[in-house]
Amino acid sequence: MIGLAQIGCYVPERKVSNLDLMEKFDTDEAFIRDKIGVIHRTRKEEEQKASDLCLKAFENLESKQNIAIEDIECCVVVTQNPDFNIPHTSAIVHGVLGLPESCASFDISLGCSGYVYALSIVTAFMQANGMNKALLFTADPYSDIIDEEDKNTALIFGDAATVTLLDGDAKLKPLGFDFGSKGIGYKNLINQDNKLYMNGRAVFNFTASTVPISIRNLLKKLDLNKEQIDKWYFHQGSKYIVDTITARAGLDKEKVVFDMYEYGNTASSSIPLLLSKDILHLQKGQKIALSGFGVGLSWASTILEQF
Amino acid sequence: MSKVTAQQILDVISKANIVKDEEALANDKPLSEQGVDSLDFSGLLFNLEETLKIEIPDEDIDGLLTINDIVTYINTKK
């Protein structure tokens, strides 16, 4: 069964401070730190595209472990801000990395739920086709579409990219998934005329009501209880939403990972960014839960075990 | 159908952990001036909708500045 072997990350050096915008948006440091949970938002260079961020993440992966390019059988990019509408961004990454022609490449158009959906899609694709090694990228540079005058979004989103090496020999494996969609709410988080619009209240309501249920359903499906989960990795939408989910799901706060102060909400990269710090430090038998939610509206949760 | 009271609103605020001491809140003073920020307010509306089984459309929110406003609004809807 396919597992997660290692995660490479790219976080741009350039950052924008939310503390510099307190007067503009009539807010204070306590709100920025304790509610939004973002002090600095990372910003790619203007000319960088999603594929460039992917390649930077790959460099980081290579610094952590040897990658035999000729062994990669599948290359996937999760993005909703691709280099071009046509072709898919994973084709560009495939070409630059010099991946074999036998390697399958495709994009997954999902936002903040994208990493967890992609784990299911790509591991299943690999299993069905007898593959052993794949690169799963997340790169969704929202800075290209943020309206810097919109308080709802201007203080939240940051740029980043990750790449997960999926490997048949890896020990961190998914036990099961829970998915869902609420397409009737699609207008609440939408790119209109190249600017992101978010109905914060609607997205909060959706998340607060849906994610605790998703967790409960997944635990039940896997015949587990929440006390058996060693760490929880939620999409880092904001500190307020992570705290809300934690409270509503009755989770031990000490087990809920939170770290977005210096990046912002990096969309589908937020969960793997967190996981990259822990992936090699999990003990045999430990179980972790991931849950992504947002654009669509959609959600996906998974529980993984370290074998 | 029974009327909603200010105490019920305070109970929701307490359950949702919106402020440290909900009993210290004045019913006729804007919540935004009593330590309830915009995210807290979204949380309050969510919890009110869930607890009281009502819907509060976005277009009605601007008028809900104080606890008394919320009580009047909900009782008018019911």
Side-chain angles (χ1 to χ4, degrees):
Chain A
M1 202 179 144
I2 305 295
L4 290 66
Q6 181 54 285
I7 299 174
C9 302
Y10 171 60
V11 175
E13 279 181 19
R14 196 156 71 100
K15 294 187 181 186
V16 178
S17 171
N18 277 350
L19 299 179
D20 293 341
L21 298 171
M22 288 192 297
E23 196 179 319
K24 177 178 178 177
F25 290 122
D26 189 26
T27 186
D28 56 37
E29 187 170 344
F31 183 80
I32 285 171
R33 185 181 301 276
D34 301 330
K35 290 291 175 52
I36 301 180
V38 180
I39 308 294
H40 292 102
R41 288 167 287 120
T42 50
R43 282 289 178 269
K44 67 175 180 69
E45 299 305 321
E46 210 174 297
E47 66 277 11
Q48 282 181 308
K49 293 184 184 297
S51 64
D52 298 310
L53 307 189
C54 289
L55 296 168
K56 289 281 193 189
F58 184 77
E59 281 175 26
N60 181 255
L61 179 67
E62 277 193 307
S63 74
K64 293 178 181 180
Q65 89 170 66
N66 288 331
I67 305 289
I69 284 289
E70 62 274 15
D71 292 344
I72 302 299
E73 296 158 292
C74 183
C75 170
V76 175
V77 175
V78 179
T79 188
Q80 291 188 313
N81 286 283
D83 288 24
F84 306 99
N85 279 339
I86 296 172
H88 40 297
T89 300
S90 51
I92 300 170
V93 172
H94 174 283
V96 176
L97 289 181
L99 297 175
E101 288 189 0
S102 54
C103 171
S105 303
F106 55 92
D107 287 3
I108 294 175
S109 175
L110 280 164
C112 306
S113 63
Y115 184 68
V116 180
Y117 264 100
L119 283 179
S120 179
I121 294 166
V122 183
T123 55
F125 182 78
M126 291 171 73
Q127 305 241 146
N129 293 283
M131 296 175 175
N132 200 50
K133 280 193 176 25
L135 297 173
L136 166 55
F137 292 89
T138 61
D140 216 352
Y142 269 42
S143 61
D144 283 340
I145 57 169
I146 288 297
D147 179 354
E148 298 294 349
E149 303 306 311
D150 182 0
K151 184 181 179 181
N152 281 316
T153 54
L155 298 173
I156 295 177
F157 293 97
D159 296 332
T162 72
V163 56
T164 301
L165 176 64
L166 295 172
D167 189 320
D169 297 325
K171 300 283 187 263
L172 181 61
K173 300 178 196 288
L175 301 179
F177 293 83
D178 179 73
F179 307 107
S181 307
K182 193 175 178 184
I184 198 167
Y186 82 92
K187 285 185 185 173
N188 292 311
L189 197 44
I190 187 168
N191 178 345
Q192 281 180 318
D193 301 323
N194 213 42
K195 285 289 174 220
L196 183 74
Y197 164 77
M198 181 172 77
N199 180 331
R201 183 189 170 207
V203 173
F204 170 79
N205 286 0
F206 155 75
T207 306
S209 55
T210 304
V211 177
I213 295 173
S214 174
I215 291 166
R216 192 163 62 235
N217 288 345
L218 181 57
L219 287 167
K220 188 175 174 186
K221 183 174 169 180
L222 298 177
D223 197 24
L224 294 169
N225 60 57
K226 59 188 183 214
E227 286 73 26
Q228 291 173 280
I229 306 300
D230 295 284
K231 276 192 172 179
W232 299 86
Y233 297 82
F234 293 114
H235 161 59
Q236 308 283 275
S238 70
K239 187 166 191 302
Y240 189 66
I241 197 57
V242 173
D243 288 346
T244 299
I245 294 167
T246 301
R248 287 180 62 83
L251 305 179
D252 178 354
K253 281 189 234 185
E254 297 301 312
K255 292 184 177 180
V256 178
V257 183
F258 181 80
D259 183 11
M260 67 185 297
Y261 295 108
E262 292 301 316
Y263 317 125
N265 174 344
T266 57
S268 50
S269 295
S270 80
I271 292 174
L273 266 181
L274 292 181
L275 187 52
S276 70
K277 297 178 171 101
D278 296 339
I279 190 168
L280 294 187
H281 306 298
L282 295 169
Q283 306 297 316
K284 185 175 174 178
Q286 280 192 310
K287 294 181 184 60
I288 62 173
L290 318 181
S291 184
F293 39 84
V295 170
L297 303 167
S298 67
W299 66 94
S301 306
T302 185
I303 292 171
L304 304 105
E305 182 171 345
Q306 180 74 11
F307 283 89
Chain B
M1 202 168 275
S2 61
K3 297 274 189 190
V4 161
T5 64
Q7 186 56 50
Q8 282 175 280
I9 308 301
L10 290 177
D11 290 343
V12 170
I13 292 174
S14 170
K15 187 180 157 203
N17 252 334
I18 287 171
V19 294
K20 284 199 175 80
D21 179 10
E22 67 284 349
E23 296 300 331
L25 292 172
N27 291 352
D28 58 353
K29 194 173 167 190
L31 288 166
S32 59
E33 294 173 19
Q34 301 188 74
V36 177
D37 60 41
S38 57
L39 286 174
D40 292 327
F41 191 64
S42 290
L44 171 56
L45 294 176
F46 174 76
N47 280 280
L48 284 173
E49 289 182 320
E50 194 176 56
T51 305
L52 301 175
K53 309 253 184 294
I54 57 171
E55 271 187 40
I56 305 175
D58 287 347
E59 53 268 26
D60 293 350
I61 289 170
D62 285 348
L64 304 180
L65 299 175
T66 69
I67 290 174
N68 285 345
D69 291 337
I70 295 171
V71 170
T72 302
Y73 172 79
I74 294 172
N75 287 330
T76 307
K77 271 175 83 74
K78 279 177 157 246

